[in-house]
């Protein structure tokens, strides 16, 4: 697959320069050419302000019995849907599930660090002052996510675990890429889509009130990050040529496939199985026996399934067409997704969180709709 080596700038709001071309940022004509496409989501940043270092918003000193209580509903744990469950007593199951949550939240933390660095890198290359200001806002929000997840992981386990190779390689590629399209499709759609599904799942299935609160607060920010990606897609995908769109579509499928089969594979979580006396290779065999494509398809019927949310993100952005729809159809009913509206699974949770923050921040009790946060007219 040949790579698109340009930024696919069909809308001036996404015009970019090389990361080291700061003189271009001092072009006197640049300052006055500000797009209004991002004004709504920029001005809304005060609506969802929260501080992970302030107990008024989230108190990380809240206790939780890690040895005797599940952090999340164990019925949602993939390991326990295989022969692994037959090998463990109740205490070991609790340990396995809670260590798996550590793995997942560590992956989220690494993803937030990647999103922070990527957003900052957009500030170096986007010429439009409005796009640049949005990227600066997102950088600040990703920084508080890094602080929030660091605080939670420290409170429950002490420190995070290392990033898995699959996620680490993708994040590195996205952060270091000089291409605007790859940064936005990769981070604002693929990784953010995955994250919104994960946040919604932990919010729904979490048994630790502290975790549930952290998820909702984070989603109040992430819903806007998704909007930024959607604005790019609406202004770009319909106007690029077929070859360019096909290459983006093929690249998105490639990344999706890598994440689907590697993000939570037993090989990347050897330490978890060792902690409960299981050999990871035996676990992998149990996975292969139990988790067929049919089983994966069944799990994706859940509205908060991370990969279902990811597929919907790509579909609504026009990055899945009839060329690749069949690839995803092996796992999900594409007709069902086509029929759904544009709202994402996390939007309702985020809206309730924003209403809570508005009251907490002294801005009153008022209706709030993320649907109104599309590009400015």
């Amino acid at each position: 697959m040949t790579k698109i080596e340009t930024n696919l700038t069909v809308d001036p709001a996404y015009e970019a320069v090389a990361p080291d071309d700061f003189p271009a940022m001092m072009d006197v004509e640049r300052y006055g050419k500000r797009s209004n496409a991002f004004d709504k989501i920029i001005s809304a940043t005060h609506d969802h302000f929260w501080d992970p270092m302030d107990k008024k918003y989230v108190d990380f000193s809240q206790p939780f019995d890690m040895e005797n209580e599940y952090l999340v509903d164990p019925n949602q744990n993939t390991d326990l849907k295989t022969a692994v469950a037959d090998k463990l007593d109740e205490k070991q199951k609790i340990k396995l599930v809670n260590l798996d949550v550590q793995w997942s939240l560590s992956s989220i933390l690494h993803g937030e660090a990647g999103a922070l660095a990527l957003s900052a890198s957009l500030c170096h290359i986007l010429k439009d002052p409005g796009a640049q200001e949005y990227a600066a806002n997102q950088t600040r929000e990703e920084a508080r996510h890094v602080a929030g997840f660091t605080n939670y992981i420290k409170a429950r386990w002490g420190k995070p675990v290392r990033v898995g190779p699959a996620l680490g390689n993708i994040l590195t590629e996205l952060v270091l890429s000089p291409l605007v399209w790859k940064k936005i499709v990769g981070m604002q759609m693929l990784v953010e889509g995955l994250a919104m599904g994960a946040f919604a799942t932990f919010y729904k299935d979490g048994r630790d009130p502290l975790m549930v609160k952290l998820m909702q607060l984070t989603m109040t920010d992430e819903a806007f990050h998704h909007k930024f990606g959607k604005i790019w897609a609406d202004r770009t995908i319909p106007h690029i040529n077929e070859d360019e769109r096909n290459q983006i579509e093929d690249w998105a499928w490639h990344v999706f496939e890598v994440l689907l089969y590697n993000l939570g594979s037993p090989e990347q979580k050897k330490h978890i199985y060792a902690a409960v006396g299981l050999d990871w290779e035996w676990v992998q065999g149990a996975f292969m026996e139990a988790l067929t494509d049919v089983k994966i398809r069944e799990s994706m019927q859940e509205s908060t399934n991370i990969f279902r949310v990811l597929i919907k993100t790509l579909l609504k952005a026009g990055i899945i067409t009839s060329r690749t729809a069949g690839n995803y159809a092996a796992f999900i009913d594409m007709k069902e997704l086509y029929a759904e509206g544009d709202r994402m699974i996390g939007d309702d949770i985020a809206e309730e969180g924003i209403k809570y923050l508005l009251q907490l921040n002294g801005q009153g009790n008022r209706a709030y709709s993320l649907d109104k946060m599309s590009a400015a007219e």
Side-chain angles (χ1 to χ4, degrees):
M1 175 171 53
T2 58
K3 294 182 179 179
I4 306 172
E5 300 296 345
T6 69
N7 277 312
L8 301 182
T9 304
V10 297
D11 188 296
Y14 299 98
E15 185 179 350
V17 299
D20 58 355
D21 187 11
F22 183 71
M25 296 299 177
M26 295 182 285
D27 176 2
V28 294
E29 300 298 328
R30 178 185 82 92
Y31 297 108
K33 295 179 179 178
R34 179 190 175 99
S35 168
N36 68 352
F38 317 104
D39 287 354
K40 287 183 180 179
I41 51 179
I42 290 172
S43 63
T45 188
H46 303 292
D47 296 340
H48 54 107
F49 173 80
W50 60 285
D51 182 357
M53 310 308 288
D54 186 340
K55 289 185 178 181
K56 178 177 79 171
Y57 297 97
V58 55
D59 183 359
F60 291 99
S61 67
Q62 295 177 44
F64 191 86
D65 187 350
M66 293 287 286
E67 288 189 14
N68 298 299
E69 299 289 338
Y70 289 100
L71 284 166
V72 297
D73 181 355
N75 292 321
Q76 302 305 315
N77 180 269
T78 304
D79 292 289
L80 299 184
K81 295 178 181 178
T82 73
V84 168
D86 301 328
K87 297 279 188 177
L88 306 177
D89 60 29
E90 186 65 12
K91 278 287 187 74
Q92 289 175 314
K93 289 178 181 178
I94 291 171
K95 187 172 187 177
L96 175 75
V97 169
N98 291 350
L99 284 175
D100 195 59
V101 173
Q102 182 193 23
W103 164 266
S104 296
L105 297 191
S106 296
S107 296
I108 288 173
L109 173 58
H110 297 308
E112 298 292 356
L116 190 164
L118 185 142
S119 301
S121 75
L122 284 174
C123 292
H124 290 270
I125 64 177
L126 289 171
K127 286 188 69 177
D128 183 278
Q132 204 173 36
E133 183 177 352
Y134 169 77
N137 265 5
Q138 182 171 341
T139 303
R140 189 265 173 274
E141 290 165 8
E142 302 294 5
R144 70 176 169 227
H145 299 171
V146 170
F149 281 98
T150 297
N151 288 350
Y152 182 82
I153 291 170
K154 183 178 181 180
R156 296 293 179 253
W157 297 281
K159 65 179 182 179
V161 296
R162 295 180 63 180
V163 68
L167 180 61
N169 290 341
I170 288 172
L171 291 174
T172 301
E173 177 184 0
L174 299 181
V175 171
L176 298 183
S177 175
L179 304 178
V180 172
W181 74 263
K182 183 169 281 191
K183 288 178 178 292
I184 294 179
V185 173
M187 184 61 74
Q188 310 285 37
M189 294 183 182
L190 284 160
V191 176
E192 295 281 15
L194 199 70
M196 281 299 276
F199 297 143
T201 298
F202 281 116
Y203 178 85
K204 180 175 68 73
D205 297 329
R207 293 184 174 181
D208 178 3
L210 174 58
M211 180 205 300
V212 172
K213 174 58 68 179
L214 177 61
M215 293 300 161
Q216 183 170 42
L217 292 174
T218 304
M219 290 172 80
T220 65
D221 296 332
E222 296 291 0
F224 289 89
H225 304 169
H226 175 263
K227 295 292 182 187
F228 178 73
K230 188 67 167 61
I231 292 170
W232 175 86
D234 290 345
R235 287 173 167 245
T236 304
I237 298 300
H239 305 292
I240 59 179
N241 66 48
E242 184 178 359
D243 182 59
E244 290 169 335
R245 195 201 65 231
N246 289 348
Q247 290 184 60
I248 291 176
E249 190 175 0
D250 291 341
W251 180 77
W253 163 249
H254 166 70
V255 175
F256 173 87
E257 201 171 24
V258 169
L259 291 172
L260 177 65
Y261 289 110
N262 295 282
L263 194 59
S265 68
E267 186 174 4
Q268 299 198 56
K269 300 189 291 184
K270 297 177 183 178
H271 70 283
I272 295 178
Y273 305 112
V276 292
L278 297 178
D279 176 71
W280 74 268
E281 290 182 299
W282 177 86
V283 173
Q284 184 152 283
F287 261 63
M288 292 177 68
E289 181 179 339
L291 297 182
T292 62
D293 283 356
V294 172
K295 291 292 185 182
I296 294 173
R297 184 182 177 88
E298 288 176 0
S299 69
M300 284 197 194
Q301 303 316 303
E302 180 68 34
S303 62
T304 56
N305 178 276
I306 58 175
F307 292 104
R308 187 184 194 280
V309 176
L310 176 49
I311 294 171
K312 181 174 179 177
T313 299
L314 295 174
L315 182 66
K316 296 298 181 178
I319 300 175
I320 297 176
T321 68
S322 57
R323 289 181 64 252
T324 56
N327 296 343
Y328 299 95
F331 307 107
I332 198 165
D333 185 339
M334 296 299 288
K335 289 183 179 179
E336 182 179 279
L337 279 189
Y338 273 112
E340 290 183 8
D342 286 346
R343 281 181 69 81
M344 300 303 292
I345 186 62
D347 286 353
D348 290 342
I349 302 168
E351 284 176 352
E352 287 302 313
I354 292 169
K355 291 176 186 176
Y356 164 78
L357 288 173
L358 287 171
Q359 289 184 294
L360 191 61
N361 292 330
Q363 299 183 57
N365 183 14
R366 55 186 168 89
Y368 206 92
S369 175
L370 288 167
D371 296 338
K372 297 179 180 179
M373 294 298 159
S374 56
E377 299 300 327

